[in-house]
Amino acid sequence: VLSIGDKVAEVPNTGFDNNQQTFHAGLLEDCSMIQVCSNRIRHIKPSGKIELWQTSGLITHAASNARQLVVSLQGGEIIYFELDPIGQLGEIEKKMSENDIVCLDVGPIPEGRQRSKFLAVGETDKSVKILSLDSGTYLSRISLQALPGVPQ
């Protein structure tokens, strides 16, 4: 991990596992960090405390914003997490997709809101699905767009 300021320097003891390949890294609104590796998520708190979430399969894709994290597992499972008001990253919902996931994205949180309302999921069937991230309808499909090729 590098610190960028007047000069670029390597930062020791960041909480990141340097022995694992990182698929996704993000900074959350409470200044905690997330590191997504092939089989785990590391939530690194500002105090240095690390919370681990082990997966039941291989993580293939991940996307996050300041309060939300979504990962997909090999086989098409989607898992949605939210940062709660006390700084805990909690699993909110899981969903099995009919196809393998090839990409996903969660947008930034609009001003005055607690979460982004939408998740875009690209699948191997040459489609992009828009899923809800609203409370009560987590991961339900809102829209489907067929494409001429596999999304990226």
Side-chain angles (χ1 to χ4, degrees), residues 1-139:
V1 176
L2 299 176
S3 171
I4 300 173
D6 291 336
K7 54 186 174 172
V8 177
E10 187 171 350
V11 178
N13 303 323
T14 61
F16 277 77
D17 184 346
N18 296 326
N19 297 316
Q20 295 285 321
Q21 180 181 0
T22 301
F23 286 107
H24 179 81
L27 179 65
L28 301 178
E29 73 177 10
D30 67 346
C31 294
S32 65
M33 298 177 289
I34 48 174
Q35 178 188 21
V36 180
C37 302
S38 62
N39 65 348
R40 77 182 110 204
I41 298 165
R42 294 172 67 86
H43 182 204
I44 306 153
K45 304 225 177 185
S47 67
K49 181 181 175 193
I50 298 171
E51 295 178 355
L52 290 176
W53 184 83
Q54 295 289 134
T55 63
S56 57
L58 290 175
I59 296 174
T60 57
H61 299 87
S64 68
N65 60 28
R67 294 181 43 91
Q68 298 165 288
L69 169 67
V70 182
V71 298
S72 65
L73 302 184
Q74 192 172 37
E77 185 173 21
I78 300 169
I79 307 172
Y80 172 58
F81 298 84
E82 275 189 15
L83 185 68
D84 70 18
I86 61 168
Q88 297 295 318
L89 188 64
E91 182 182 313
I92 302 298
E93 190 70 57
K94 289 183 181 182
K95 177 183 179 127
M96 270 313 284
S97 178
E98 298 161 6
N99 306 289
D100 282 336
I101 308 300
V102 294
C103 56
L104 27 96
D105 193 26
V106 59
I109 301 169
E111 179 121 10
R113 294 198 45 102
Q114 293 296 312
R115 66 179 60 88
S116 175
K117 293 173 63 171
F118 307 108
L119 168 67
V121 180
E123 299 186 5
T124 55
D125 68 347
K126 300 179 183 176
S127 73
V128 172
K129 295 177 175 79
I130 303 299
L131 306 181
S132 172
L133 295 179
D134 267 340
S135 179
T137 59
Y138 292 119
L139 301 181

